[in-house]
Amino acid sequence: MSSETGTSTQAPGSVDRSVLERVRSELRGNPLTLAGALIVTGLAAVAIVGPVLTPYDPTTQELANRLQSPSLAHPLGTDQLGRDVMTRLVYGARISLGIAIAVTAIRVVIGTTVGLVAGYAGGWVDEALMRLVDVQLAFPGLVLALVVAGILGPSLRNVMLALAVVGWATYARVVRGSVLSVKEREYVHAAKLVGTPPRRIARRHLLPNVINPVIVLATLNLGTVVLATAGLSFIGLGAQPPTPEWGTMLAGGRNYLRSAWWLVNAPGVAIVLTVLGFNLLGDGLRDLLDPRQQSRLEEV
């Protein structure tokens, strides 16, 4: 059949020159994806440059200024210890996004490695690794993270380790499913016949062709990790005072809901916007990177 049927002749793992154009088209045609991208970009900018712009220290207490309502000097008011809420919110963005990126990166590395090995090796290796994945998935992720964090002790580092340990199995299952399909293609068999080492086959032929669902899953997981980190910190297993983390800010302000509403509203809105931004962006990336979705769009 001719190339007009839509069959791609592009070499495996090569860069598609139309990717940027498809991204622009997705952003122009889907306002929700654009909104998600803007939210995530804005949060990243705040996390990077925000602490440089604020004149206050996030942990310095000024009891004379405690529980001041929002004003020009303190746009989001002050907390029960006189600390500027906006400053703590900005520093909290750096902490929350940093932990989300670190946890997601660990999940991706572990899960992708396990999925590649299981899918390519097959046999008893695949069976053993998938049973390990099944055991991990049998427990609710947040509950298991709660147990791990409780055993290790309350700290941000332990929360990060707990969330990373319990979240990699989904990546492993997704990657394994993609590898089982990709490894049966002609170019993979050809690479085996010429004696290409398995590690090189995995790096050059398998990984580039299974990375799209990993990117989508990682984007969606970033918001989930931010929410889980805040939740564990809220109950006292994560960041400890005076660390300016969104979950601890919620915990500290819950006793002032009527007299100082901004103490809870500010970090609460920040968490909602962060999760919403990553979810909208992840949905847009799924539509953009899913080949089946692209085929359906081309047929319309």
Side-chain angles (χ1 to χ4, degrees), residues 62-80:
E62 298 181 7
L63 296 180
N65 296 326
R66 67 187 302 268
L67 298 179
Q68 289 189 1
S69 59
S71 62
L72 290 178
H74 303 282
L76 294 179
T78 61
D79 65 8
Q80 66 275 19

Side-chain angles (χ1 to χ4, degrees), residues 70-108:
S71 62
L72 290 178
H74 303 282
L76 294 179
T78 61
D79 65 8
Q80 66 275 19
L81 296 176
R83 299 169 298 194
D84 183 66
V85 173
M86 188 179 73
T87 299
R88 291 178 60 78
L89 198 70
V90 167
Y91 277 85
R94 174 175 290 186
I95 294 173
S96 296
L97 293 181
I99 290 177
I101 292 172
V103 168
T104 303
I106 295 172
R107 288 179 174 182
V108 168

Side-chain angles (χ1 to χ4, degrees), residues 114-127 129 179-180 183 206:
V114 171
L116 280 173
V117 172
Y120 185 73
W124 68 269
V125 175
D126 181 25
E127 188 71 17
L129 290 176
V179 169
L180 290 177
K183 76 174 185 177
L206 298 181

Side-chain angles (χ1 to χ4, degrees), residues 13-29:
S14 61
V15 178
D16 187 351
R17 296 180 180 179
S18 65
V19 168
L20 292 179
E21 183 58 34
R22 296 211 319 265
V23 170
R24 296 191 193 100
S25 177
E26 175 69 21
L27 293 178
R28 288 196 301 264

